[in-house]
Amino acid sequence: MRFLIQKLVILFCCALAFPALAQEDEGVAAGPAFAEFPLTLSSGYRREAAGPLYYSQQTGSQQQWALPPFFCHTLTPDVDWTEWELLYPIISYRRFGGEYRLQIVEFLSFSGGRADPVNGAWRFTIFPFYFQQRTPDKKLDYTALVPFYGHLKNRLFRDEIKFVLFPLYSETRKRGVVTDNYLYPFFDVHYGDHMSGWQFWPVVGAGHKTPTLRTNSLDEVETVGGFDKFFAVWPFYFKSKAGLGTTNEQANLTVVPFYNRMRSAARDETSYGWPLGYNVIDDRGKKYVEHDLGWPFIVFGHGEKKKVTRVFPFYGQSHDSGGGGSFSGLFGLASAGATNAPPPGKSDMESDFYLWPVYKFNRLQSPLLERRRTRIMFFLYSDTTETNTESATSLHRNDLWPFYTYRRDTDGSQRLQVLAVLEPFFPNNRSMTREYSQIWSFWRCEKNHKTGAASQSLLWNLYRRDETPQSKNFSLFFGLFQYQSGVEGRRWRVCHVTVKKKAARAAAPRS
């Protein structure tokens, strides 16, 4: 037994100090102290040591090792990609070619690169206090120390930002529109791109844009509508006209909370007691009529392609086969279904709930994709199916928090994990999977549909089984009990000593 313990310690130390690829014809079974085995769902090998606290693997040219939940490093030489994370999401580093980015909880970040010898940039940020960029082209350099003085380019959703003693004075530029702010956000003047305006917020403000012409992607000349806007005693009184110079001009008047009105050639909206009062929509262009009471809580709408019935939180059912309209409200933001607008082409959408959030169902069917998702209590239970209607392949994911997560890919490969503490909340987050799943996934089951390979692991390989059409490998309790079978025969090992071996039976000659 003393020899066995020493052997396990040596294997563990070698795994940490000298990580290397396992030989493809054999692995090492001493889990959970140390285990080395072929990957099931892809080609390559993986080693795990100290239970859930260390693993490394190689898939093709990609190499990865981690000390969950503290650190993970991934190297992909084929595409010159490197990434590592320390206590994700606190610290992370990404490098692709000559471009790199290091960030610390989005507060402190360094980024830059030399992929382009002319425009390669080096950036340093201590958000939101200090911003710096240096490039070979000095015209693109900037430095900003908030709130004293600064000049930014292509940052914070603006093409350019200048400020002195912010909020005393700042100037922003976006898509040809310049806005000068004094004592932001109270005073501003904006101009450019055929528009002008001013505001003394929240007392009064106005803006105007004249109609213009542009050539679209089809090389056709089209009209870009203008507008007139005015507000007083924000957010209580608004009056505007939009789409000026087009065939669908819109006139809006809002007096919160008493009345809201929008009139256009294709659509009328009227609201009494906005936003929680009574609303009426008549969308003649889409042949849709909707009546709301306290939107979005009570909604009844019907049309040729859309039907909505909702009494929140008790019951709701919505079916839209053409992206029907809904109440736009004060700022022209569409209501029901606006954030889930169907993609171009013939699409069909369905959204139902009962005793929200106890039961929720969503369905989207487009020319190439059908997606269904059923949820109970948000993330407590989720079942999602995505089907490619052209190739007749489907992806299925099922989660029951925190007990398990299951996934079947489009190629038929399957994976089951028990437990799943974070996976249902971050289903597509690779970093969460790499650095945290190893900690609590005490049972893993995988099956490769193409190769026929399968594997099961309990308590970080205390029990492990690997199977292919040509071989079977089984180990239990630090590898003290092992079984192997393959083309060369079958073998039982107890305490790493072979106790029974049987050669493979030769195939009988054909007559």
Side-chain angles (χ1 to χ4, degrees), residues 43-72:
S43 61
Y45 261 76
R46 180 181 176 101
R47 62 166 47 87
E48 298 179 2
L53 301 181
Y54 171 85
Y55 74 82
S56 66
Q57 70 179 37
Q58 180 154 347
T59 305
S61 68
Q62 185 183 83
Q63 303 173 28
Q64 184 177 95
W65 69 276
L67 300 172
F70 306 104
F71 182 81
C72 180

PDB file of all heavy atoms in Angstrom, residues 43-72:
ATOM      1  N   SER A  43     -11.319  14.705 -30.979  1.00  0.00           N
ATOM      2  CA  SER A  43     -10.042  13.992 -30.950  1.00  0.00           C
ATOM      3  C   SER A  43      -9.084  14.699 -30.002  1.00  0.00           C
ATOM      4  O   SER A  43      -9.049  15.925 -29.936  1.00  0.00           O
ATOM      5  CB  SER A  43      -9.440  13.920 -32.355  1.00  0.00           C
ATOM      6  OG  SER A  43      -9.192  15.226 -32.845  1.00  0.00           O
ATOM      7  N   GLY A  44      -8.312  13.926 -29.256  1.00  0.00           N
ATOM      8  CA  GLY A  44      -7.359  14.501 -28.335  1.00  0.00           C
ATOM      9  C   GLY A  44      -7.359  13.760 -27.020  1.00  0.00           C
ATOM     10  O   GLY A  44      -8.078  12.776 -26.829  1.00  0.00           O
ATOM     11  N   TYR A  45      -6.550  14.257 -26.099  1.00  0.00           N
ATOM     12  CA  TYR A  45      -6.402  13.639 -24.779  1.00  0.00           C
ATOM     13  C   TYR A  45      -6.568  14.684 -23.689  1.00  0.00           C
ATOM     14  O   TYR A  45      -6.357  15.868 -23.897  1.00  0.00           O
ATOM     15  CB  TYR A  45      -5.025  12.978 -24.646  1.00  0.00           C
ATOM     16  CG  TYR A  45      -5.058  11.485 -24.875  1.00  0.00           C
ATOM     17  CD1 TYR A  45      -5.167  10.978 -26.161  1.00  0.00           C
ATOM     18  CD2 TYR A  45      -5.015  10.602 -23.808  1.00  0.00           C
ATOM     19  CE1 TYR A  45      -5.205   9.621 -26.391  1.00  0.00           C
ATOM     20  CE2 TYR A  45      -5.055   9.231 -24.012  1.00  0.00           C
ATOM     21  CZ  TYR A  45      -5.144   8.733 -25.309  1.00  0.00           C
ATOM     22  OH  TYR A  45      -5.199   7.393 -25.512  1.00  0.00           O
ATOM     23  N   ARG A  46      -6.949  14.196 -22.522  1.00  0.00           N
ATOM     24  CA  ARG A  46      -7.173  15.060 -21.361  1.00  0.00           C
ATOM     25  C   ARG A  46      -6.612  14.380 -20.115  1.00  0.00           C
ATOM     26  O   ARG A  46      -6.705  13.162 -19.977  1.00  0.00           O
ATOM     27  CB  ARG A  46      -8.667  15.338 -21.182  1.00  0.00           C
ATOM     28  CG  ARG A  46      -9.033  16.226 -19.986  1.00  0.00           C
ATOM     29  CD  ARG A  46     -10.537  16.392 -19.929  1.00  0.00           C
ATOM     30  NE  ARG A  46     -10.992  17.148 -18.774  1.00  0.00           N
ATOM     31  CZ  ARG A  46     -11.346  18.421 -18.786  1.00  0.00           C
ATOM     32  NH1 ARG A  46     -11.267  19.099 -19.935  1.00  0.00           N
ATOM     33  NH2 ARG A  46     -11.762  19.040 -17.692  1.00  0.00           N
ATOM     34  N   ARG A  47      -6.041  15.182 -19.212  1.00  0.00           N
ATOM     35  CA  ARG A  47      -5.603  14.660 -17.929  1.00  0.00           C
ATOM     36  C   ARG A  47      -6.223  15.502 -16.827  1.00  0.00           C
ATOM     37  O   ARG A  47      -6.370  16.723 -16.954  1.00  0.00           O
ATOM     38  CB  ARG A  47      -4.073  14.659 -17.814  1.00  0.00           C
ATOM     39  CG  ARG A  47      -3.439  16.019 -17.889  1.00  0.00           C
ATOM     40  CD  ARG A  47      -1.988  15.993 -17.430  1.00  0.00           C
ATOM     41  NE  ARG A  47      -1.271  14.905 -18.031  1.00  0.00           N
ATOM     42  CZ  ARG A  47      -0.656  14.956 -19.215  1.00  0.00           C
ATOM     43  NH1 ARG A  47      -0.764  16.075 -19.926  1.00  0.00           N
ATOM     44  NH2 ARG A  47       0.013  13.941 -19.684  1.00  0.00           N
ATOM     45  N   GLU A  48      -6.607  14.858 -15.741  1.00  0.00           N
ATOM     46  CA  GLU A  48      -7.182  15.516 -14.587  1.00  0.00           C
ATOM     47  C   GLU A  48      -6.464  15.032 -13.346  1.00  0.00           C
ATOM     48  O   GLU A  48      -6.117  13.842 -13.248  1.00  0.00           O
ATOM     49  CB  GLU A  48      -8.685  15.240 -14.482  1.00  0.00           C
ATOM     50  CG  GLU A  48      -9.482  15.756 -15.670  1.00  0.00           C
ATOM     51  CD  GLU A  48     -10.976  15.445 -15.570  1.00  0.00           C
ATOM     52  OE1 GLU A  48     -11.384  14.865 -14.545  1.00  0.00           O
ATOM     53  OE2 GLU A  48     -11.714  15.767 -16.516  1.00  0.00           O
ATOM     54  N   ALA A  49      -6.244  15.918 -12.370  1.00  0.00           N
ATOM     55  CA  ALA A  49      -5.519  15.571 -11.152  1.00  0.00           C
ATOM     56  C   ALA A  49      -6.094  16.335  -9.974  1.00  0.00           C
ATOM     57  O   ALA A  49      -6.707  17.398 -10.138  1.00  0.00           O
ATOM     58  CB  ALA A  49      -4.035  15.889 -11.304  1.00  0.00           C
ATOM     59  N   ALA A  50      -5.898  15.766  -8.780  1.00  0.00           N
ATOM     60  CA  ALA A  50      -6.371  16.386  -7.533  1.00  0.00           C
ATOM     61  C   ALA A  50      -7.869  16.658  -7.592  1.00  0.00           C
ATOM     62  O   ALA A  50      -8.326  17.752  -7.255  1.00  0.00           O
ATOM     63  CB  ALA A  50      -5.597  17.669  -7.242  1.00  0.00           C
ATOM     64  N   GLY A  51      -8.630  15.673  -8.037  1.00  0.00           N
ATOM     65  CA  GLY A  51     -10.075  15.843  -8.141  1.00  0.00           C
ATOM     66  C   GLY A  51     -10.425  16.898  -9.164  1.00  0.00           C
ATOM     67  O   GLY A  51     -10.032  16.803 -10.330  1.00  0.00           O
ATOM     68  N   PRO A  52     -11.131  17.964  -8.734  1.00  0.00           N
ATOM     69  CA  PRO A  52     -11.533  18.998  -9.705  1.00  0.00           C
ATOM     70  C   PRO A  52     -10.552  20.152  -9.818  1.00  0.00           C
ATOM     71  O   PRO A  52     -10.851  21.138 -10.483  1.00  0.00           O
ATOM     72  CB  PRO A  52     -12.852  19.498  -9.107  1.00  0.00           C
ATOM     73  CG  PRO A  52     -12.639  19.392  -7.631  1.00  0.00           C
ATOM     74  CD  PRO A  52     -11.772  18.169  -7.418  1.00  0.00           C
ATOM     75  N   LEU A  53      -9.371  20.055  -9.213  1.00  0.00           N
ATOM     76  CA  LEU A  53      -8.505  21.218  -9.061  1.00  0.00           C
ATOM     77  C   LEU A  53      -7.487  21.407 -10.174  1.00  0.00           C
ATOM     78  O   LEU A  53      -6.785  22.413 -10.202  1.00  0.00           O
ATOM     79  CB  LEU A  53      -7.782  21.149  -7.718  1.00  0.00           C
ATOM     80  CG  LEU A  53      -8.709  21.097  -6.498  1.00  0.00           C
ATOM     81  CD1 LEU A  53      -7.906  21.066  -5.223  1.00  0.00           C
ATOM     82  CD2 LEU A  53      -9.684  22.265  -6.506  1.00  0.00           C
ATOM     83  N   TYR A  54      -7.342  20.438 -11.086  1.00  0.00           N
ATOM     84  CA  TYR A  54      -6.404  20.597 -12.190  1.00  0.00           C
ATOM     85  C   TYR A  54      -6.856  19.766 -13.378  1.00  0.00           C
ATOM     86  O   TYR A  54      -7.326  18.640 -13.224  1.00  0.00           O
ATOM     87  CB  TYR A  54      -4.997  20.137 -11.787  1.00  0.00           C
ATOM     88  CG  TYR A  54      -4.034  20.088 -12.960  1.00  0.00           C
ATOM     89  CD1 TYR A  54      -3.356  21.217 -13.372  1.00  0.00           C
ATOM     90  CD2 TYR A  54      -3.827  18.896 -13.658  1.00  0.00           C
ATOM     91  CE1 TYR A  54      -2.484  21.178 -14.451  1.00  0.00           C
ATOM     92  CE2 TYR A  54      -2.950  18.847 -14.745  1.00  0.00           C
ATOM     93  CZ  TYR A  54      -2.293  19.989 -15.136  1.00  0.00           C
ATOM     94  OH  TYR A  54      -1.438  19.948 -16.194  1.00  0.00           O
ATOM     95  N   TYR A  55      -6.717  20.339 -14.581  1.00  0.00           N
ATOM     96  CA  TYR A  55      -6.882  19.554 -15.798  1.00  0.00           C
ATOM     97  C   TYR A  55      -6.089  20.203 -16.919  1.00  0.00           C
ATOM     98  O   TYR A  55      -5.817  21.407 -16.897  1.00  0.00           O
ATOM     99  CB  TYR A  55      -8.361  19.396 -16.186  1.00  0.00           C
ATOM    100  CG  TYR A  55      -9.012  20.632 -16.772  1.00  0.00           C
ATOM    101  CD1 TYR A  55      -8.873  20.966 -18.123  1.00  0.00           C
ATOM    102  CD2 TYR A  55      -9.804  21.462 -15.988  1.00  0.00           C
ATOM    103  CE1 TYR A  55      -9.484  22.079 -18.660  1.00  0.00           C
ATOM    104  CE2 TYR A  55     -10.412  22.583 -16.512  1.00  0.00           C
ATOM    105  CZ  TYR A  55     -10.256  22.891 -17.846  1.00  0.00           C
ATOM    106  OH  TYR A  55     -10.854  24.010 -18.371  1.00  0.00           O
ATOM    107  N   SER A  56      -5.716  19.392 -17.884  1.00  0.00           N
ATOM    108  CA  SER A  56      -5.097  19.883 -19.110  1.00  0.00           C
ATOM    109  C   SER A  56      -5.567  18.995 -20.242  1.00  0.00           C
ATOM    110  O   SER A  56      -5.905  17.822 -20.036  1.00  0.00           O
ATOM    111  CB  SER A  56      -3.571  19.851 -19.012  1.00  0.00           C
ATOM    112  OG  SER A  56      -3.099  18.517 -18.928  1.00  0.00           O
ATOM    113  N   GLN A  57      -5.628  19.553 -21.434  1.00  0.00           N
ATOM    114  CA  GLN A  57      -6.067  18.766 -22.580  1.00  0.00           C
ATOM    115  C   GLN A  57      -5.498  19.371 -23.852  1.00  0.00           C
ATOM    116  O   GLN A  57      -5.134  20.542 -23.896  1.00  0.00           O
ATOM    117  CB  GLN A  57      -7.593  18.687 -22.655  1.00  0.00           C
ATOM    118  CG  GLN A  57      -8.286  19.981 -23.027  1.00  0.00           C
ATOM    119  CD  GLN A  57      -9.801  19.808 -23.114  1.00  0.00           C
ATOM    120  OE1 GLN A  57     -10.409  19.084 -22.360  1.00  0.00           O
ATOM    121  NE2 GLN A  57     -10.408  20.499 -24.074  1.00  0.00           N
ATOM    122  N   GLN A  58      -5.445  18.532 -24.884  1.00  0.00           N
ATOM    123  CA  GLN A  58      -5.021  18.978 -26.196  1.00  0.00           C
ATOM    124  C   GLN A  58      -5.983  18.430 -27.220  1.00  0.00           C
ATOM    125  O   GLN A  58      -6.282  17.233 -27.252  1.00  0.00           O
ATOM    126  CB  GLN A  58      -3.598  18.526 -26.525  1.00  0.00           C
ATOM    127  CG  GLN A  58      -3.148  18.995 -27.900  1.00  0.00           C
ATOM    128  CD  GLN A  58      -1.643  19.141 -28.005  1.00  0.00           C
ATOM    129  OE1 GLN A  58      -0.943  19.120 -26.999  1.00  0.00           O
ATOM    130  NE2 GLN A  58      -1.143  19.294 -29.222  1.00  0.00           N
ATOM    131  N   THR A  59      -6.511  19.326 -28.046  1.00  0.00           N
ATOM    132  CA  THR A  59      -7.421  18.969 -29.128  1.00  0.00           C
ATOM    133  C   THR A  59      -6.847  19.549 -30.409  1.00  0.00           C
ATOM    134  O   THR A  59      -6.853  20.761 -30.601  1.00  0.00           O
ATOM    135  CB  THR A  59      -8.825  19.546 -28.882  1.00  0.00           C
ATOM    136  OG1 THR A  59      -9.287  19.122 -27.601  1.00  0.00           O
ATOM    137  CG2 THR A  59      -9.799  19.074 -29.949  1.00  0.00           C
ATOM    138  N   GLY A  60      -6.356  18.681 -31.285  1.00  0.00           N
ATOM    139  CA  GLY A  60      -5.676  19.186 -32.462  1.00  0.00           C
ATOM    140  C   GLY A  60      -4.450  19.968 -32.031  1.00  0.00           C
ATOM    141  O   GLY A  60      -3.612  19.480 -31.275  1.00  0.00           O
ATOM    142  N   SER A  61      -4.366  21.228 -32.473  1.00  0.00           N
ATOM    143  CA  SER A  61      -3.242  22.067 -32.071  1.00  0.00           C
ATOM    144  C   SER A  61      -3.539  22.863 -30.807  1.00  0.00           C
ATOM    145  O   SER A  61      -2.630  23.487 -30.245  1.00  0.00           O
ATOM    146  CB  SER A  61      -2.886  23.028 -33.210  1.00  0.00           C
ATOM    147  OG  SER A  61      -3.930  23.979 -33.403  1.00  0.00           O
ATOM    148  N   GLN A  62      -4.787  22.865 -30.361  1.00  0.00           N
ATOM    149  CA  GLN A  62      -5.155  23.672 -29.199  1.00  0.00           C
ATOM    150  C   GLN A  62      -4.728  22.999 -27.898  1.00  0.00           C
ATOM    151  O   GLN A  62      -5.001  21.821 -27.675  1.00  0.00           O
ATOM    152  CB  GLN A  62      -6.663  23.922 -29.159  1.00  0.00           C
ATOM    153  CG  GLN A  62      -7.088  24.864 -28.046  1.00  0.00           C
ATOM    154  CD  GLN A  62      -8.582  25.051 -27.964  1.00  0.00           C
ATOM    155  OE1 GLN A  62      -9.290  24.237 -27.374  1.00  0.00           O
ATOM    156  NE2 GLN A  62      -9.075  26.125 -28.584  1.00  0.00           N
ATOM    157  N   GLN A  63      -4.058  23.771 -27.042  1.00  0.00           N
ATOM    158  CA  GLN A  63      -3.625  23.294 -25.739  1.00  0.00           C
ATOM    159  C   GLN A  63      -4.288  24.134 -24.654  1.00  0.00           C
ATOM    160  O   GLN A  63      -4.382  25.356 -24.777  1.00  0.00           O
ATOM    161  CB  GLN A  63      -2.106  23.389 -25.617  1.00  0.00           C
ATOM    162  CG  GLN A  63      -1.354  22.638 -26.707  1.00  0.00           C
ATOM    163  CD  GLN A  63       0.138  22.903 -26.639  1.00  0.00           C
ATOM    164  OE1 GLN A  63       0.686  23.187 -25.581  1.00  0.00           O
ATOM    165  NE2 GLN A  63       0.798  22.819 -27.786  1.00  0.00           N
ATOM    166  N   GLN A  64      -4.714  23.453 -23.591  1.00  0.00           N
ATOM    167  CA  GLN A  64      -5.425  24.142 -22.523  1.00  0.00           C
ATOM    168  C   GLN A  64      -5.102  23.488 -21.191  1.00  0.00           C
ATOM    169  O   GLN A  64      -5.015  22.268 -21.099  1.00  0.00           O
ATOM    170  CB  GLN A  64      -6.933  24.081 -22.785  1.00  0.00           C
ATOM    171  CG  GLN A  64      -7.791  24.846 -21.806  1.00  0.00           C
ATOM    172  CD  GLN A  64      -9.261  24.775 -22.196  1.00  0.00           C
ATOM    173  OE1 GLN A  64      -9.996  23.928 -21.694  1.00  0.00           O
ATOM    174  NE2 GLN A  64      -9.681  25.642 -23.118  1.00  0.00           N
ATOM    175  N   TRP A  65      -4.889  24.310 -20.178  1.00  0.00           N
ATOM    176  CA  TRP A  65      -4.755  23.795 -18.824  1.00  0.00           C
ATOM    177  C   TRP A  65      -5.379  24.784 -17.857  1.00  0.00           C
ATOM    178  O   TRP A  65      -5.475  25.975 -18.128  1.00  0.00           O
ATOM    179  CB  TRP A  65      -3.289  23.516 -18.474  1.00  0.00           C
ATOM    180  CG  TRP A  65      -2.423  24.725 -18.322  1.00  0.00           C
ATOM    181  CD1 TRP A  65      -1.794  25.422 -19.306  1.00  0.00           C
ATOM    182  CD2 TRP A  65      -2.086  25.371 -17.089  1.00  0.00           C
ATOM    183  NE1 TRP A  65      -1.080  26.460 -18.779  1.00  0.00           N
ATOM    184  CE2 TRP A  65      -1.233  26.454 -17.418  1.00  0.00           C
ATOM    185  CE3 TRP A  65      -2.398  25.139 -15.763  1.00  0.00           C
ATOM    186  CZ2 TRP A  65      -0.719  27.305 -16.446  1.00  0.00           C
ATOM    187  CZ3 TRP A  65      -1.886  25.981 -14.779  1.00  0.00           C
ATOM    188  CH2 TRP A  65      -1.049  27.055 -15.144  1.00  0.00           C
ATOM    189  N   ALA A  66      -5.830  24.260 -16.711  1.00  0.00           N
ATOM    190  CA  ALA A  66      -6.583  25.101 -15.784  1.00  0.00           C
ATOM    191  C   ALA A  66      -6.418  24.596 -14.359  1.00  0.00           C
ATOM    192  O   ALA A  66      -6.174  23.407 -14.112  1.00  0.00           O
ATOM    193  CB  ALA A  66      -8.060  25.127 -16.153  1.00  0.00           C
ATOM    194  N   LEU A  67      -6.564  25.536 -13.426  1.00  0.00           N
ATOM    195  CA  LEU A  67      -6.646  25.268 -11.991  1.00  0.00           C
ATOM    196  C   LEU A  67      -7.988  25.810 -11.513  1.00  0.00           C
ATOM    197  O   LEU A  67      -8.053  26.902 -10.940  1.00  0.00           O
ATOM    198  CB  LEU A  67      -5.492  25.946 -11.246  1.00  0.00           C
ATOM    199  CG  LEU A  67      -4.074  25.539 -11.641  1.00  0.00           C
ATOM    200  CD1 LEU A  67      -3.053  26.437 -10.962  1.00  0.00           C
ATOM    201  CD2 LEU A  67      -3.819  24.082 -11.297  1.00  0.00           C
ATOM    202  N   PRO A  68      -9.092  25.099 -11.798  1.00  0.00           N
ATOM    203  CA  PRO A  68     -10.409  25.607 -11.429  1.00  0.00           C
ATOM    204  C   PRO A  68     -10.503  25.822  -9.913  1.00  0.00           C
ATOM    205  O   PRO A  68      -9.976  25.013  -9.147  1.00  0.00           O
ATOM    206  CB  PRO A  68     -11.356  24.502 -11.896  1.00  0.00           C
ATOM    207  CG  PRO A  68     -10.572  23.701 -12.890  1.00  0.00           C
ATOM    208  CD  PRO A  68      -9.151  23.770 -12.405  1.00  0.00           C
ATOM    209  N   PRO A  69     -11.185  26.892  -9.483  1.00  0.00           N
ATOM    210  CA  PRO A  69     -11.832  27.923 -10.298  1.00  0.00           C
ATOM    211  C   PRO A  69     -10.964  29.165 -10.468  1.00  0.00           C
ATOM    212  O   PRO A  69     -11.489  30.244 -10.740  1.00  0.00           O
ATOM    213  CB  PRO A  69     -13.066  28.250  -9.466  1.00  0.00           C
ATOM    214  CG  PRO A  69     -12.541  28.145  -8.048  1.00  0.00           C
ATOM    215  CD  PRO A  69     -11.530  27.020  -8.054  1.00  0.00           C
ATOM    216  N   PHE A  70      -9.640  29.022 -10.316  1.00  0.00           N
ATOM    217  CA  PHE A  70      -8.784  30.200 -10.244  1.00  0.00           C
ATOM    218  C   PHE A  70      -8.230  30.646 -11.589  1.00  0.00           C
ATOM    219  O   PHE A  70      -8.196  31.854 -11.875  1.00  0.00           O
ATOM    220  CB  PHE A  70      -7.627  29.915  -9.279  1.00  0.00           C
ATOM    221  CG  PHE A  70      -8.069  29.448  -7.933  1.00  0.00           C
ATOM    222  CD1 PHE A  70      -7.958  28.111  -7.574  1.00  0.00           C
ATOM    223  CD2 PHE A  70      -8.626  30.336  -7.026  1.00  0.00           C
ATOM    224  CE1 PHE A  70      -8.377  27.680  -6.328  1.00  0.00           C
ATOM    225  CE2 PHE A  70      -9.057  29.908  -5.783  1.00  0.00           C
ATOM    226  CZ  PHE A  70      -8.931  28.576  -5.433  1.00  0.00           C
ATOM    227  N   PHE A  71      -7.800  29.715 -12.425  1.00  0.00           N
ATOM    228  CA  PHE A  71      -7.032  30.105 -13.599  1.00  0.00           C
ATOM    229  C   PHE A  71      -7.282  29.127 -14.737  1.00  0.00           C
ATOM    230  O   PHE A  71      -7.468  27.927 -14.524  1.00  0.00           O
ATOM    231  CB  PHE A  71      -5.538  30.113 -13.256  1.00  0.00           C
ATOM    232  CG  PHE A  71      -4.660  30.556 -14.392  1.00  0.00           C
ATOM    233  CD1 PHE A  71      -4.494  31.897 -14.675  1.00  0.00           C
ATOM    234  CD2 PHE A  71      -4.007  29.624 -15.184  1.00  0.00           C
ATOM    235  CE1 PHE A  71      -3.678  32.302 -15.722  1.00  0.00           C
ATOM    236  CE2 PHE A  71      -3.191  30.021 -16.232  1.00  0.00           C
ATOM    237  CZ  PHE A  71      -3.030  31.369 -16.497  1.00  0.00           C
ATOM    238  N   CYS A  72      -7.274  29.662 -15.977  1.00  0.00           N
ATOM    239  CA  CYS A  72      -7.396  28.831 -17.179  1.00  0.00           C
ATOM    240  C   CYS A  72      -6.598  29.494 -18.291  1.00  0.00           C
ATOM    241  O   CYS A  72      -6.690  30.709 -18.494  1.00  0.00           O
ATOM    242  CB  CYS A  72      -8.852  28.661 -17.597  1.00  0.00           C
ATOM    243  SG  CYS A  72      -9.066  27.645 -19.086  1.00  0.00           S
TER     244      CYS A  72
END
